[in-house]
Amino acid sequence: MDQGAHVDYICKMENRGQDQNFVFPDILSDESDDQEVGTSDFREKITINFQLLEVCRELSRTEQSLKLCLKNTDIPFLESVVGPGLDSQLQWILLKLRITSAMLEAAVERTNSGSASEVETRKLDSFANYLMEITRLIDQDITGNLISEEVVEYSSPTTVRAYAKKFGGKISSVEAQINGLHDWATTLGLTSAGCGETVCLPDNKFIVESVTEDERNDSSTVGLEEDIQVITNKLIIGHSTPSLVAITGGKGIGKTTLARKIYKNPEVVHHFPCRAWVTSPLDFEPNSFLFSIAKQVLVGFAVNDSIEKIKYKLSNLWGFQRYLIVLDDAHAIEEATKTLLDLCSNQFNGSKLLITTTKRDLFKASPNCYIHERRVLGDEEAWELFNARLCFQVDQEVVQLAREVVKKCSGIPSSVVKLADFMSSKAATQEQWFITLSRMNDPHASHYLSLASSSDLMSSSNRQCLLYFILFPNSEIPARRLIVLWVAEGLVDQSPDSAETPESAGEKILNELVQNCMIQVAKWKPNGKVKTCRLNYGLMDALLLEAGKANFLKSNLQAAASKSSKKKGKILRVADHLDNNSSIFSHIHENDSIGSSSFKNQYKQLISFISFDSREGPVPGQNIGNFIHRGTTLNCFKMICVVDLEGTFRPKLPDSIKKLSQLRYLGLRRTYTELLPASIGKLLNLQTLDLKHTCLRSLPVCIWKLQQLRHLYLSESYRSRIMAPGSSSSLLDIQTLWGAFVDEETQIEYGLNRLSNLRKLGLVYRLPVKQQGILADWISKLHHLESLRLRSVDDMNNPSLLYLKTLSGLSKLSSLYLLGTLANPFVLETFPGSLTEITLSLSGIFFDPMRVLEKLPYLRILNLYAGSYTKKTMVCSSGGFPLLRVLNLWKLEELEEWIVKDGSLIILRHLEIRSCLKLKMIPEGLKHLEHCRELKLTSMSDDLKARVTKDKGVDWQNIAHIASVVVRN
């Protein structure tokens, strides 16, 4: 186009001014395309795909040029002359350039895939030509004239105003062309899904995603890797998966951050051609909701489009395009879902609605929904996030202090980030850090962090369970211990017709306390359950006050006062912390002269007795034995439900323990006790007997008289032999049998196999093949089983043949440990997909186990120990082990080559290779493991050690990105 023709063309465009409904010439109609498709001009052009790519580059150049001009131009001065609005118009053009670039990417993809029809291809050709013309107009009429020096060259204000008016007209011309071009491009199904931001209009109640500079700079995925992988799979794999995916959790837990990373995940971007992000207001309004979506996905969107037109365009677009709508901070899920379905009722094309919300109860009316609970960070995850955000290394002198302060953030990501930002502003000297952290670690400095208020505590429906934490030292508490104690005391409310176990109900209570930030999680299990936890910092004083009002401890508070206190009340719970200022201390450890009537009066309503006396030697055991004997002899422990002596060295349990008729929990874990009184068979209400890490060789036969027993933990290392329940026994509801030793004398058929409700089973056995077959048949039918540990040994206690049948029916099994040579290694192919942790030792597998195990979708920990694999080569395929976090390869003596393909082990964090002396090199594929934080190489060959020498070894480039690489003998 020559200069004269160009001027005439611009004059025509200026006459159209702000016409938002501009229509392109006939060349853009189907009829015109049909007439011109055969012309020589079209045949002489290079391929449409190449042309589109060239336009993409031109658009990018034009955008950068315009940005630079805007930076160097006195826009406020121009607006002072011609009036406000020029800056908004120019920013609008920049935005449209970005949208057009995203739309061009879709066009390139369509031409590459061959999905564009012949007519559409002709339209794309015309589309590319007009886009190129628009870039020239922007260069000549906007960028070329947007220079302050040219404006101030005019001598009079009248001339300046005329210039500014003419310039404004040119901007309007470009606006009209872009709008018309985008309106037409919608008919091709091209969208702006790749564009992450837009301009919010004041009358729009929904907020389109706006990414802050801070969010752009924060690329950390600490604690999010697994969540991203799980939710991404739910979104893109299969059309039959739920169309509604919800991320729930408390405030500051990172729901929006997680959703944003998923929204921008390349897999998600590629899978959903049409994407939009909106933040929900409290009052849902369908038209406003659609208006916000349309601004992001319709390239022909215009501000003054009617809602009917918007609905029509969205309906046409979604008829053949998969969409992903993110509704952040949702309040009206049902209404949003209905609004989308009204426009596109065909949900079988894989379209999804991803929401974030704190309202967990909103999903009752949404059965077709996957709910992903965003969990708080464990201690190590919080520490890692703190360091990642801090951007420099914490001085070793203050690491321990800093770790304690980070724990006060309760695992809330936003609190950890705020703490790191606060510390980043401090001088990086040891003295300054020590002063700052010491102040923050002050138990009275609660203003640094947001903690639950006492009103929140009072309103908690589970405050009785929460109050139980004041009985423990302020350290990590095993969740399994808490839950069984709650159940034993009857603190877990459960309806009579409930199908779930009391332990499952207790687990829900614990999760609720975690979600409400009352409880901090120190460690998580691989299956996503809490392993250890602690009371939230700063809640102890409020809990003690609440305990007094609720009579939880009753006069235990008085008993903790001076020994000379004359007023003694009834004690409900005793937690012995070796506090010699407490009168309870003298009752247990000093054999004081308190009279029998006073002792009986104080302890006749005692519910629980927990000892935290961890001293060595015979004294602790004797003192506890004397205290229990005195209470039982005086008949004042008749109401006691809990005796928890975990960690107390060899307590001397008296025979009179049989008088504890209401006892439900007897905890002797890590007591190393050698003998149980035979009278234990009289404890007919006992539910849990924990003998793990004791020195008991066998159990009295009377154990099977305990008809209420649900959990039995034995000492695996001492081969605590267990006799099977007799046919007259009705002990069929036992859920845990752990650490038991089974041999030829143990009746399995019509004995152990009567225990059909087991959740946890751990056995050491010495059995001939025939009896192993009976055992395997029983195990394959334990459909409630969650954890299975099997060790097959011979007469010399060496690993022996281990026979198993199919495990495919154990759909709840999450943890599996097998020690022994597998009689049928192909049983691996029957492992259920629910497994999260697998340990194999001396299994003798002669085929690559990775080809089977890598397909387990939820596997997070894999340990392949000595002799578990006997061949030379092992391969991890692309897409394998999607959630594996920990991999240990120990003493695989024949392994020479390990291949890790790109796309495998994508979120692996910890890897240890130990004593694999024939392994020749570190897999090249490790360089793709961007989330790997730790690599340990233990007792490896000298050649391999040389290959991983820092900055010198030939394999160093494959592991240089790993934060911690440890090589040791």
Side-chain angles (χ1 to χ4, degrees):
M1 182 181 293
D2 59 28
Q3 185 64 27
H6 175 68
V7 172
D8 292 338
Y9 180 73
I10 291 298
C11 290
K12 293 178 181 178
M13 294 303 302
E14 287 180 348
N15 291 334
R16 302 190 182 203
Q18 298 287 339
D19 182 8
Q20 300 293 333
N21 296 316
F22 171 76
V23 180
F24 270 77
D26 289 341
I27 189 172
L28 299 183
S29 67
D30 289 347
E31 293 80 2
S32 180
D33 278 333
D34 291 337
Q35 293 168 6
E36 294 191 12
V37 71
T39 63
S40 59
D41 289 340
F42 182 75
R43 287 193 301 270
E44 291 172 359
K45 288 183 182 293
I46 58 176
T47 64
I48 184 63
N49 192 35
F50 181 83
Q51 188 174 5
L52 288 170
L53 289 173
E54 181 66 26
V55 175
C56 280
R57 285 191 288 269
E58 278 298 301
L59 276 176
S60 178
R61 182 198 56 76
T62 301
E63 181 184 350
Q64 295 304 317
S65 178
L66 184 54
K67 280 183 178 179
L68 183 63
C69 282
L70 285 173
K71 183 178 180 181
N72 297 321
T73 300
D74 192 354
I75 297 295
F77 170 74
L78 285 177
E79 288 192 327
S80 69
V81 176
V82 76
L86 282 178
D87 184 58
S88 296
Q89 284 181 295
L90 292 169
Q91 293 296 338
W92 182 91
I93 290 174
L94 277 174
L95 173 65
K96 288 297 183 179
L97 288 176
R98 289 196 293 274
I99 292 176
T100 305
S101 295
M103 173 262 297
L104 271 177
E105 291 177 8
V108 171
E109 183 175 344
R110 294 189 68 179
T111 57
N112 279 336
S113 64
S115 61
S117 67
E118 186 177 349
V119 172
E120 287 175 337
T121 302
R122 297 167 192 162
K123 289 183 178 180
L124 288 173
D125 173 55
S126 299
F127 181 70
N129 288 332
Y130 275 85
L131 269 178
M132 194 66 79
E133 186 63 31
I134 287 175
T135 61
R136 295 192 189 101
L137 290 177
I138 293 174
D139 286 341
Q140 296 172 13
D141 293 336
I142 297 180
T143 305
N145 289 284
L146 195 57
I147 303 173
S148 298
E149 287 76 11
E150 292 189 16
V151 175
V152 296
E153 278 181 6
Y154 295 95
S155 56
S156 68
T158 303
T159 306
V160 173
R161 279 193 292 271
Y163 172 86
K165 184 176 180 181
K166 181 180 178 182
F167 183 56
K170 291 180 178 181
I171 292 177
S172 298
S173 297
V174 174
E175 279 184 319
Q177 288 207 67
I178 293 177
N179 260 335
L181 183 68
H182 283 187
D183 199 32
W184 167 72
T186 306
T187 63
L188 295 178
L190 303 180
T191 74
S192 57
C195 191
E197 43 187 291
T198 189
V199 179
C200 295
L201 300 180
D203 59 344
N204 182 22
K205 300 170 74 174
F206 284 82
I207 304 171
V208 181
E209 178 189 26
S210 177
V211 183
T212 65
E213 191 63 29
D214 182 61
E215 288 164 345
R216 287 191 182 98
N217 294 333
D218 181 18
S219 60
S220 174
T221 58
V222 174
L224 294 177
E225 303 96 336
E226 183 175 313
D227 303 74
I228 292 171
Q229 187 69 15
V230 169
I231 297 176
T232 297
N233 287 343
K234 290 291 181 183
L235 291 174
I236 69 177
I237 296 179
H239 292 172
S240 60
T241 54
S243 58
L244 177 61
V245 176
I247 302 173
T248 66
K251 185 177 180 181
I253 200 69
K255 301 182 297 298
T256 299
T257 301
L258 173 58
R260 184 177 291 116
K261 291 186 179 297
I262 292 167
Y263 183 76
K264 296 177 180 178
N265 186 317
E267 289 184 78
V268 173
V269 172
H270 181 266
H271 186 76
F272 295 99
C274 181
R275 296 178 305 125
W277 177 296
V278 290
T279 301
S280 172
L282 289 174
D283 52 335
F284 182 87
E285 204 285 304
N287 291 347
S288 180
F289 175 51
L290 294 177
F291 192 81
S292 300
I293 295 172
K295 287 195 298 184
Q296 299 174 74
V297 303
L298 294 180
V299 293
F301 173 79
V303 176
N304 59 354
D305 275 351
S306 66
I307 190 61
E308 289 75 18
K309 186 175 182 180
I310 288 175
K311 288 181 178 180
Y312 175 76
K313 288 183 177 182
L314 288 176
S315 180
N316 285 342
L317 179 63
W318 291 342
F320 61 91
Q321 292 265 18
R322 276 192 305 269
Y323 66 78
L324 171 66
I325 308 299
V326 177
L327 187 55
D328 190 30
D329 196 18
H331 304 279
I333 298 166
E334 199 171 359
E335 293 87 341
T337 304
K338 183 179 184 303
T339 301
L340 294 174
L341 285 175
D342 287 345
L343 289 184
C344 181
S345 59
N346 179 19
Q347 291 296 296
F348 296 104
N349 67 350
S351 293
K352 307 285 183 180
L353 174 61
L354 175 64
I355 67 171
T356 70
T357 182
T358 58
K359 309 293 184 181
R360 301 177 186 89
D361 57 344
L362 295 177
F363 306 103
K364 295 177 181 178
S366 304
N368 187 27
C369 176
Y370 168 72
I371 302 173
H372 187 93
E373 185 76 43
R374 178 76 184 103
R375 63 176 179 82
V376 297
L377 301 176
D379 287 350
E380 288 304 314
E381 290 173 318
W383 178 247
E384 185 180 342
L385 176 59
F386 177 76
N387 281 279
R389 184 74 177 192
L390 203 61
C391 297
F392 58 86
Q393 193 170 4
V394 180
D395 193 294
Q396 286 299 315
E397 298 295 326
V398 294
V399 163
Q400 191 56 42
L401 185 60
R403 278 182 172 272
E404 289 302 311
V405 176
V406 171
K407 288 178 183 178
K408 288 189 174 184
C409 296
S410 304
I412 305 297
S414 60
S415 297
V416 176
V417 168
K418 289 177 182 177
L419 175 63
D421 290 346
F422 175 74
M423 293 307 300
S424 294
S425 65
K426 301 300 173 184
T429 63
Q430 178 181 328
E431 180 181 7
Q432 180 61 54
W433 270 69
F434 188 81
I435 292 172
T436 305
L437 291 171
S438 296
R439 288 175 179 171
M440 296 177 72
N441 205 28
D442 185 341
H444 301 293
S446 59
H447 58 278
Y448 280 101
L449 299 171
S450 176
L451 298 174
S453 65
S454 57
S455 61
D456 291 332
L457 173 62
M458 293 295 291
S459 64
S460 173
S461 61
N462 303 314
R463 70 178 185 274
Q464 286 286 318
C465 291
L466 180 63
L467 289 172
Y468 221 88
F469 280 84
I470 65 177
L471 302 178
F472 287 82
N474 193 17
S475 57
E476 293 182 28
I477 306 170
R480 54 91 191 159
R481 189 178 183 184
L482 270 174
I483 292 172
V484 293
L485 292 177
W486 290 346
V487 172
E489 282 208 28
L491 302 180
V492 178
D493 291 331
Q494 207 176 9
S495 59
D497 57 345
S498 175
E500 68 177 350
T501 65
E503 290 77 12
S504 296
E507 191 174 307
K508 287 183 178 179
I509 291 175
L510 182 63
N511 289 334
E512 184 177 333
L513 293 175
V514 170
Q515 291 160 2
N516 291 331
C517 298
M518 302 286 186
I519 302 305
Q520 295 177 233
V521 177
K523 294 184 181 71
W524 291 93
K525 291 182 180 179
N527 60 4
K529 295 183 178 181
V530 178
K531 184 175 183 179
T532 60
C533 57
R534 69 173 72 85
L535 183 67
N536 198 328
Y537 287 92
L539 279 184
M540 182 58 76
D541 291 342
L543 278 177
L544 287 173
L545 180 62
E546 171 68 8
K549 294 178 180 179
N551 288 328
F552 185 81
L553 288 174
K554 218 160 188 177
S555 61
N556 217 25
L557 294 172
Q558 297 172 356
S562 173
K563 298 179 184 179
S564 61
S565 176
K566 296 182 179 180
K567 185 177 180 181
K568 304 292 184 182
K570 295 178 176 60
I571 299 174
L572 295 181
R573 294 173 177 85
V574 167
D576 178 22
H577 294 274
L578 292 177
D579 180 6
N580 57 14
N581 290 319
S582 167
S583 60
I584 290 176
F585 179 88
S586 62
H587 297 166
I588 299 172
H589 301 288
E590 295 181 351
N591 293 321
D592 65 359
S593 58
I594 180 175
S596 298
S597 59
S598 296
F599 186 96
K600 186 174 182 178
N601 182 61
Q602 288 187 54
Y603 289 103
K604 69 179 182 180
Q605 293 185 11
L606 187 67
I607 298 173
S608 65
F609 171 44
I610 305 177
S611 173
F612 296 99
D613 186 351
S614 59
R615 295 174 297 170
E616 297 181 356
V619 174
Q622 292 173 358
N623 289 346
I624 286 174
N626 292 336
F627 179 69
I628 294 176
H629 178 68
R630 187 177 191 184
T632 52
T633 302
L634 293 174
N635 292 321
C636 62
F637 282 0
K638 291 183 177 181
M639 298 179 64
I640 197 166
C641 299
V642 169
V643 173
D644 187 355
L645 308 179
E646 183 169 328
T648 301
F649 188 72
R650 292 184 177 172
K652 306 295 183 182
L653 296 180
D655 188 65
S656 58
I657 196 174
K658 63 186 177 183
K659 293 185 178 180
L660 305 183
S661 59
Q662 299 303 313
L663 190 65
R664 297 174 185 169
Y665 180 89
L666 179 57
L668 299 173
R669 181 176 295 216
R670 287 195 296 274
T671 61
Y672 302 100
T673 190
E674 297 176 316
L675 184 66
L676 281 181
S679 61
I680 196 172
K682 300 291 183 67
L683 302 176
L684 300 182
N685 285 303
L686 195 65
Q687 295 177 349
T688 300
L689 178 58
D690 192 344
L691 303 173
K692 200 171 185 180
H693 304 301
T694 61
C695 300
L696 291 163
R697 293 288 183 182
S698 61
L699 285 179
V701 179
C702 63
I703 196 74
W704 297 116
K705 293 181 180 180
L706 307 179
Q707 301 300 312
Q708 300 299 317
L709 193 65
R710 298 166 62 83
H711 307 283
L712 177 58
Y713 295 91
L714 302 175
S715 184
E716 181 182 81
S717 60
Y718 270 80
R719 291 192 181 184
S720 300
R721 179 180 278 104
I722 184 170
M723 302 305 293
S727 58
S728 61
S729 173
S730 60
L731 185 61
L732 300 178
D733 197 34
I734 189 167
Q735 296 181 23
T736 302
L737 177 58
W738 198 259
F741 178 69
V742 174
D743 60 11
E744 297 92 331
E745 298 180 17
T746 306
Q747 186 177 353
I748 301 174
E749 193 171 16
Y750 307 114
L752 283 181
N753 65 358
R754 298 177 65 240
L755 307 179
S756 59
N757 292 328
L758 286 171
R759 266 73 173 172
K760 294 182 180 180
L761 176 62
L763 299 177
V764 180
Y765 56 84
R766 186 180 61 223
L767 293 170
V769 174
K770 182 178 180 180
Q771 282 189 276
Q772 282 203 42
I774 300 173
L775 183 72
D777 187 61
W778 167 51
I779 291 173
S780 67
K781 298 176 182 177
L782 296 175
H783 300 301
H784 300 292
L785 204 61
E786 298 173 0
S787 183
L788 176 63
R789 179 181 173 91
L790 299 176
R791 296 180 61 200
S792 178
V793 298
D794 59 18
D795 293 339
M796 302 300 294
N797 203 33
N798 295 318
S800 182
L801 188 70
L802 191 155
Y803 181 75
L804 269 183
K805 291 186 177 180
T806 177
L807 301 180
S808 59
L810 309 185
S811 60
K812 297 182 180 179
L813 189 66
S814 64
S815 178
L816 177 64
Y817 177 103
L818 301 176
L819 185 147
T821 305
L822 292 175
N824 176 20
F826 292 102
V827 75
L828 267 67
E829 297 179 349
T830 73
F831 282 4
S834 55
L835 282 168
T836 61
E837 181 175 7
I838 296 176
T839 298
L840 301 177
S841 184
L842 294 165
S843 304
I845 301 170
F846 51 79
F847 60 86
D848 188 352
M850 297 304 195
R851 69 173 176 82
V852 176
L853 301 180
E854 68 183 5
K855 297 176 183 177
L856 297 174
Y858 302 110
L859 191 63
R860 291 166 172 85
I861 296 178
L862 175 60
N863 303 311
L864 296 180
Y865 292 155
S868 57
Y869 177 52
T870 61
K871 295 299 180 179
K872 297 181 180 180
T873 304
M874 191 163 63
V875 179
C876 293
S877 305
S878 180
F881 296 112
L883 296 185
L884 198 72
R885 309 298 297 276
V886 177
L887 176 60
N888 290 311
L889 306 175
W890 292 7
K891 297 190 74 172
L892 305 182
E893 297 176 348
E894 301 302 320
L895 184 64
E896 296 181 5
E897 182 182 28
W898 178 30
I899 300 171
V900 176
K901 295 187 177 180
D902 187 12
S904 179
L905 301 165
I906 56 175
I907 64 170
L908 188 75
R909 294 177 65 84
H910 303 283
L911 170 63
E912 181 174 3
I913 309 174
R914 178 185 296 189
S915 299
C916 297
L917 296 178
K918 292 185 179 180
L919 188 65
K920 297 177 181 178
M921 59 183 290
I922 294 296
E924 182 181 356
L926 294 191
K927 66 184 179 183
H928 301 298
L929 308 186
E930 60 183 71
H931 299 296
C932 192
R933 299 289 185 266
E934 182 181 45
L935 169 63
K936 292 182 180 178
L937 298 171
T938 307
S939 300
M940 302 297 287
S941 68
D942 291 338
D943 288 343
L944 189 135
K945 291 178 185 177
R947 294 180 68 93
V948 296
T949 303
K950 186 175 181 180
D951 299 325
K952 297 179 181 179
V954 294
D955 290 343
W956 176 252
Q957 60 181 346
N958 299 329
I959 60 175
H961 64 287
I962 301 176
S964 174
V965 178
V966 179
V967 181
R968 59 190 180 188
N969 294 322

